[in-house]
């Protein structure tokens, strides 16, 4: 019997029935077991917590220099849309710079389905002229002519 080992060591087994214990002598003993009749609830003091802000918004403004990979804006949804040389992260819609350059923030007509080549600015169609959105661009610096062709080396 499984309870014999417990009784040798002086331990009592709890039975499946409520409040019934097998004591040291092996006979059932009744003990008062009480469960909570009501669930405990938190105090009203715990309901006034204020969480700090998430620090969302533009991190670099118009005319500032930015390095490749820098975060330009953190946002929920699309407050600012990606422009030239700017990518969007999938999860939190933050804007990141794809190249070194200067930040340019513009307000342009928004066209949900542009017909231009990817990466080029496009003119919005007449039906979208009234929908102005803020775009963030990274304008790369002009390349200096310090390169050499492979044939010249």
């Amino acid at each position: 019997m499984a309870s014999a080992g417990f009784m040798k060591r002086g331990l009592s087994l709890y039975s499946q029935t409520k409040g019934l214990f097998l004591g040291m002598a092996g006979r059932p003993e009744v003990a008062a077991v009480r469960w909570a009749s009501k669930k405990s609830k938190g105090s009203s003091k715990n309901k006034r917590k204020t969480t700090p802000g998430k620090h969302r918004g533009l991190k670099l403004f118009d005319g500032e220099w930015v390095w490749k990979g820098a975060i330009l804006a953190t946002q929920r949804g699309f407050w600012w849309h990606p422009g030239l040389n700017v990518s969007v992260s999938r999860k939190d819609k933050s804007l990141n710079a794809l190249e070194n350059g200067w930040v340019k923030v513009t307000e342009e007509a928004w066209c949900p389905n542009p017909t231009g080549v990817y990466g080029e600015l496009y003119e919005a169609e007449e039906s979208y002229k009234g929908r102005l959105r803020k775009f963030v661009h990274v304008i790369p610096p002009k390349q200096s002519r310090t390169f050499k062709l492979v044939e010249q080396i």
Side-chain angles (χ1 to χ4, degrees), residues 33-40:
V33 178
R34 184 174 177 209
W35 281 273
S37 57
K38 291 185 179 181
K39 287 189 174 183
S40 61

Side-chain angles (χ1 to χ4, degrees), residues 74-139:
T74 54
Q75 58 189 347
R76 284 275 186 201
F78 279 105
W79 286 87
W80 299 278
H81 293 268
L84 287 174
N85 302 319
V86 176
S87 68
V88 180
S89 65
R90 284 188 297 174
K91 192 170 184 181
D92 60 352
K93 308 292 187 284
S94 63
L95 302 179
N96 302 313
L98 292 176
E99 289 190 19
N100 299 339
W102 284 277
V103 177
K104 181 74 176 169
V105 180
T106 60
E107 194 169 73
E108 303 170 13
W110 177 68
C111 179
N113 299 315
T115 56
V117 179
Y118 179 74
E120 292 182 6
L121 290 176
Y122 51 86
E123 288 293 323
E125 300 164 12
E126 281 298 319
S127 59
Y128 297 109
K129 286 289 186 185
R131 301 179 186 184
L132 293 178
R133 301 288 189 265
K134 291 180 181 163
F135 284 81
V136 179
H137 307 279
V138 174
I139 309 299

Side-chain angles (χ1 to χ4, degrees), residues 51-76:
T51 57
K54 302 297 181 189
H55 305 290
R56 293 191 180 106
L58 279 176
K59 305 300 177 190
L60 295 166
F61 296 94
D62 203 10
E64 291 188 49
W65 177 261
V66 66
W67 295 100
K68 178 181 178 180
I71 296 175
L72 301 173
T74 54
Q75 58 189 347
R76 284 275 186 201

Side-chain angles (χ1 to χ4, degrees), residues 15 32 78 94 148 152:
S15 173
F78 279 105
S94 63
K148 291 185 178 182
Q152 294 178 352

Side-chain angles (χ1 to χ4, degrees), residues 7 20-30:
M7 285 188 254
L20 184 65
F21 287 88
L22 294 177
M24 300 231 350
R27 59 180 188 258
E29 297 175 3
V30 177

